[in-house]
Amino acid sequence: NLQNVLLYGFGLLTSVGCYFFGPAKSTKGFLEGYGPLAWGLVLFQALHGLAVSLVYKHADAIVKNFANSSVMAVLVCVSAIWFDLRMNLHSALAVIIIVITTYVYMAIAIKMKEVEERREP
Protein backbone atom coordinates (compact mmCIF):
# COMPACT_ATOMS: atom_id res chain seq x y z
CA ASN A 1 0.00 0.00 0.00
CA LEU A 2 0.99 3.61 -0.38
CA GLN A 3 1.99 4.11 3.27
CA ASN A 4 4.51 1.25 3.07
CA VAL A 5 5.96 2.61 -0.18
CA LEU A 6 6.45 6.02 1.41
CA LEU A 7 7.91 4.52 4.58
CA TYR A 8 10.41 2.29 2.78
CA GLY A 9 11.22 4.95 0.20
CA PHE A 10 12.10 7.44 2.94
CA GLY A 11 14.19 4.76 4.69
CA LEU A 12 16.01 4.00 1.46
CA LEU A 13 16.75 7.67 0.79
CA THR A 14 18.00 8.15 4.35
CA SER A 15 20.26 5.08 4.18
CA VAL A 16 21.73 5.95 0.79
CA GLY A 17 22.23 9.57 1.88
CA CYS A 18 24.06 8.47 5.04
CA TYR A 19 26.22 6.10 3.03
CA PHE A 20 27.33 8.66 0.47
CA PHE A 21 27.44 11.77 2.66
CA GLY A 22 28.30 10.25 6.04
CA PRO A 23 31.65 10.69 7.77
CA ALA A 24 33.01 7.16 7.21
CA LYS A 25 33.58 6.13 3.61
CA SER A 26 34.60 2.62 2.68
CA THR A 27 36.61 1.69 -0.38
CA LYS A 28 35.44 -1.94 -0.27
CA GLY A 29 31.78 -1.31 -1.08
CA PHE A 30 28.34 -1.08 0.43
CA LEU A 31 28.08 -4.73 1.52
CA GLU A 32 31.49 -4.95 3.16
CA GLY A 33 31.62 -7.56 5.92
CA TYR A 34 28.48 -9.47 4.95
CA GLY A 35 29.19 -13.14 5.53
CA PRO A 36 26.91 -16.17 5.15
CA LEU A 37 25.37 -15.59 8.58
CA ALA A 38 24.44 -11.98 7.77
CA TRP A 39 23.00 -12.97 4.39
CA GLY A 40 21.03 -15.76 6.05
CA LEU A 41 19.64 -13.30 8.58
CA VAL A 42 18.62 -10.87 5.81
CA LEU A 43 16.94 -13.71 3.90
CA PHE A 44 15.03 -14.99 6.93
CA GLN A 45 13.91 -11.50 7.93
CA ALA A 46 12.60 -10.93 4.42
CA LEU A 47 10.74 -14.25 4.50
CA HIS A 48 9.36 -13.39 7.94
CA GLY A 49 8.05 -10.09 6.59
CA LEU A 50 6.31 -11.89 3.73
CA ALA A 51 4.81 -14.43 6.14
CA VAL A 52 3.49 -11.66 8.40
CA SER A 53 1.89 -9.90 5.43
CA LEU A 54 0.19 -13.16 4.42
CA VAL A 55 -1.12 -13.64 7.96
CA TYR A 56 -2.55 -10.12 7.97
CA LYS A 57 -4.08 -10.68 4.54
CA HIS A 58 -5.77 -14.00 5.34
CA ALA A 59 -6.24 -13.83 9.12
CA ASP A 60 -6.03 -11.12 11.76
CA ALA A 61 -3.70 -9.64 14.35
CA ILE A 62 -4.80 -12.13 17.02
CA VAL A 63 -3.63 -15.06 14.89
CA LYS A 64 -0.30 -13.28 14.31
CA ASN A 65 0.14 -12.82 18.06
CA PHE A 66 -0.60 -16.49 18.68
CA ALA A 67 1.89 -17.41 15.95
CA ASN A 68 4.60 -15.20 17.50
CA SER A 69 4.07 -16.62 20.98
CA SER A 70 4.06 -20.17 19.58
CA VAL A 71 7.36 -19.53 17.81
CA MET A 72 8.85 -18.26 21.08
CA ALA A 73 7.64 -21.38 22.91
CA VAL A 74 9.19 -23.60 20.23
CA LEU A 75 12.46 -21.65 20.42
CA VAL A 76 12.60 -22.10 24.20
CA CYS A 77 12.17 -25.86 23.76
CA VAL A 78 14.73 -26.03 20.93
CA SER A 79 17.20 -23.97 22.98
CA ALA A 80 16.74 -26.34 25.91
CA ILE A 81 17.48 -29.36 23.71
CA TRP A 82 20.22 -28.07 21.39
CA PHE A 83 21.91 -25.35 23.42
CA ASP A 84 21.51 -26.76 26.94
CA LEU A 85 19.35 -23.86 28.11
CA ARG A 86 18.32 -24.49 31.68
CA MET A 87 14.54 -24.42 31.84
CA ASN A 88 13.06 -23.12 35.05
CA LEU A 89 9.49 -23.30 36.29
CA HIS A 90 8.55 -19.99 34.66
CA SER A 91 9.78 -21.10 31.23
CA ALA A 92 7.98 -24.43 31.46
CA LEU A 93 4.74 -22.80 32.60
CA ALA A 94 4.98 -20.22 29.83
CA VAL A 95 5.35 -22.94 27.19
CA ILE A 96 2.42 -24.89 28.65
CA ILE A 97 0.19 -21.81 28.82
CA ILE A 98 1.02 -20.82 25.24
CA VAL A 99 0.26 -24.31 23.93
CA ILE A 100 -3.05 -24.53 25.79
CA THR A 101 -4.29 -21.04 24.88
CA THR A 102 -3.32 -21.47 21.23
CA TYR A 103 -5.13 -24.81 21.06
CA VAL A 104 -8.27 -23.43 22.75
CA TYR A 105 -8.40 -20.33 20.53
CA MET A 106 -7.88 -22.25 17.32
CA ALA A 107 -10.43 -24.92 18.29
CA ILE A 108 -13.05 -22.24 18.95
CA ALA A 109 -12.17 -20.34 15.77
CA ILE A 110 -12.55 -23.50 13.66
CA LYS A 111 -15.93 -24.30 15.23
CA MET A 112 -17.16 -20.73 14.69
CA LYS A 113 -16.12 -20.89 11.04
CA GLU A 114 -18.00 -24.19 10.58
CA VAL A 115 -21.14 -22.68 12.14
CA GLU A 116 -20.93 -19.64 9.84
CA GLU A 117 -20.51 -21.87 6.79
CA ARG A 118 -23.64 -23.85 7.73
CA ARG A 119 -25.70 -20.64 8.09
CA GLU A 120 -24.83 -19.33 4.64
CA PRO A 121 -27.32 -20.47 1.96
Side-chain angles (χ1 to χ4, degrees), residues 6-21:
L6 292 174
L7 177 71
Y8 293 126
F10 181 72
L12 177 69
L13 289 175
T14 304
S15 298
V16 169
C18 288
Y19 176 73
F20 285 114
F21 302 114

Side-chain angles (χ1 to χ4, degrees), residues 64-85:
K64 181 195 172 284
N65 288 335
F66 275 112
N68 280 341
S69 60
S70 299
V71 166
M72 288 184 195
V74 168
L75 288 176
V76 167
C77 295
V78 167
S79 295
I81 294 169
W82 287 353
F83 304 120
D84 295 326
L85 175 74

